[in-house]
Amino acid sequence: MKKLIKIISLILSLCVFSTLFACMGPGGDVGSAGGGAGNGDGEHTTHTYVIVKYDNEFHWKECSCGEQDDFKLHDIIGDSCECGFSFSQTPDEDDKDDGGSSSGGGGSGDSDGPSAPPVQGDGTVSFGLDFSLEKNGTEYSVAEGSCNDRNVIIPATYNGLPVTRIWGDNFNTTTMVSITIPETVVEIGNSPFPIAKNLVNIEVAENNPMFKSVDGVLYSKDGKTLIKYGAGKDASNLEIPKEVTTIGSYAFCRSKSLRSIEIPNGVEKIDSFAFYMCEFLKSVKMPDTVKELVGGAFSDCVALSEVNLSNGLVELSEKLFNKCESLTKIEIPDSVKYIHGSFRNCTALEEVKLSNNVEWMSGTFFNCKKLKTISLPNTLTNISYETFSGCESLQGITLPDNLMDIGSSAFAGCKSLTKLHFPATLTGIGYNAFDGCTGLTEVTYGGSTGDWGVYIGFFNREFFQNTSITKVICSDGSVNVK
């Protein structure tokens, strides 16, 4: 029995000494715990850094903590970790190199280690941003990630590398009111902040080489491109500076207060979707200096009812005024030669004055349901795919004398058309070109039956599906088309 008591006493003594040793730091003092973060009441947590990296949700990417031997990710709670680690602490240089422990706990240590990098959510960098390595791991780009800050702050560096690119089209947060851009960012993508409908203010570091901010508006450094005017910014007294030659993609997208705009002299280009979904915009006037309107520039401006186009335009792009449901009339200047699907879904459009020099149209008036008549100039040689498709009110139309080609579905669904005359110059008709023209009763052709067979009927295409047309009357007889 005495031997058993001695053995038990020995075991208890060993346990006490083991406990004391576990609580001692490298210098032998109880409570210093090898670089742990203070956890209160003398209890400390030891971090062993394996990957020194900040990310969106955790302070150090991987670390061992306290009595846990496995590496794990640690959740942020307020300005510290659930394990007690404080953001103000950082590992020594040696710890970074060899996977050692962090320096001094509780903020009372006197380590000579480097300062911690900016921490997301600490007031200098927005929390939740998504960073990606670029250019062989030499720099970072940044996207919105899970950030829902009102005042978004982009850091100049991340993990010791410069942040050079903002994925502007991925910043879709509707909570963002302002964004601060550092000097290192030299690219902001093709469509900056398109869904940030409450954005008011954009600030740029003064020494940024590519961008600048004037009164909260983002410009290129030379002031020639207006890049972004926040959708939530008051535009009732908008004045575009005289230096501006280009209005950038999505520049005024979703503006809440823009009611009218007069583009100043000197502007040469209005880029894609520049005024997309400006739902209260009613009138647009542009000078003859404007040479280029890129696709979608005024798309979905549902209140737009008055447009004065530039006499400097040669081409009107796809979806330029798509879904401008209040637009009832438009005059296209004589400088224009090519018109894409510029007026698609302008369901209130009734009156159109075409350019006298237009040569080619494709999808131009698709689904313009109220368009009744239109005069086509003799310069027009090609009425391409879906040009008048869905124009269900179109009644009278005279095809030009020099017309050479009618594309697929060009007049599909024009159920109010009753008569058509094809000029002898016509050499091609696309599939379903007149599909669903249920009111069509007569079709004539200026050429001979032989010409029809060689140039048009040879392909045996179904031009007149869902119509009552069975034959085409030519200059020397008729040909069956069904």
Side-chain angles (χ1 to χ4, degrees), residues 66 149 160 181 199 234 452:
D149 286 2
I181 299 171
L199 180 61
D234 182 14
W452 180 275

Side-chain angles (χ1 to χ4, degrees), residues 224 244-247 263-271 287-294 310 312-313:
K224 292 184 177 181
V244 172
T245 60
T246 298
I247 297 176
I263 309 296
N265 275 311
V267 172
E268 299 175 359
K269 179 180 180 180
I270 299 177
D271 216 333
D288 292 342
T289 56
V290 175
K291 308 295 184 184
E292 185 176 4
L293 289 178
V294 186
S310 163
L313 295 167

Side-chain angles (χ1 to χ4, degrees), residues 80-115:
S80 62
C81 177
E82 60 181 351
C83 65
F85 179 83
S86 170
F87 292 137
S88 63
Q89 295 169 307
T90 183
D92 289 332
E93 286 293 341
D94 291 341
D95 293 337
K96 286 186 179 181
D97 295 336
D98 62 14
S101 300
S102 65
S103 62
S108 59
D110 52 5
S111 168
D112 294 327
S115 300

Side-chain angles (χ1 to χ4, degrees), residues 437-442 464 466-471 482:
C437 294
T438 54
L440 200 58
T441 59
E442 181 181 315
F464 301 103
N466 301 306
T467 72
S468 60
I469 297 297
T470 59
K471 64 181 180 179
K482 282 192 178 180

Side-chain angles (χ1 to χ4, degrees), residues 175-241:
T175 59
M176 183 169 65
V177 174
S178 71
I179 183 168
T180 301
I181 299 171
E183 67 276 8
T184 54
V185 168
V186 294
E187 188 177 351
I188 307 184
N190 295 324
S191 51
F193 323 122
I195 307 181
K197 63 181 182 181
N198 294 310
L199 180 61
V200 173
N201 195 54
I202 302 171
E203 293 297 330
V204 180
E206 188 173 350
N207 55 343
N208 186 295
M210 299 300 293
F211 308 106
K212 70 177 182 179
S213 173
V214 179
D215 296 328
V217 180
L218 181 64
Y219 296 89
S220 59
K221 191 69 173 182
D222 60 9
K224 292 184 177 181
T225 300
L226 192 160
I227 298 172
K228 187 65 180 180
Y229 191 101
K233 190 176 184 66
D234 182 14
S236 58
N237 296 311
L238 172 66
E239 290 187 11
I240 296 176

Side-chain angles (χ1 to χ4, degrees), residues 328-350:
T328 60
K329 62 181 180 179
I330 188 72
E331 181 175 345
I332 298 172
D334 287 342
S335 58
V336 173
K337 293 183 177 182
Y338 313 103
I339 311 175
H340 297 263
S342 308
F343 301 94
R344 284 178 170 268
N345 303 299
C346 291
T347 51
L349 189 62
E350 297 179 358

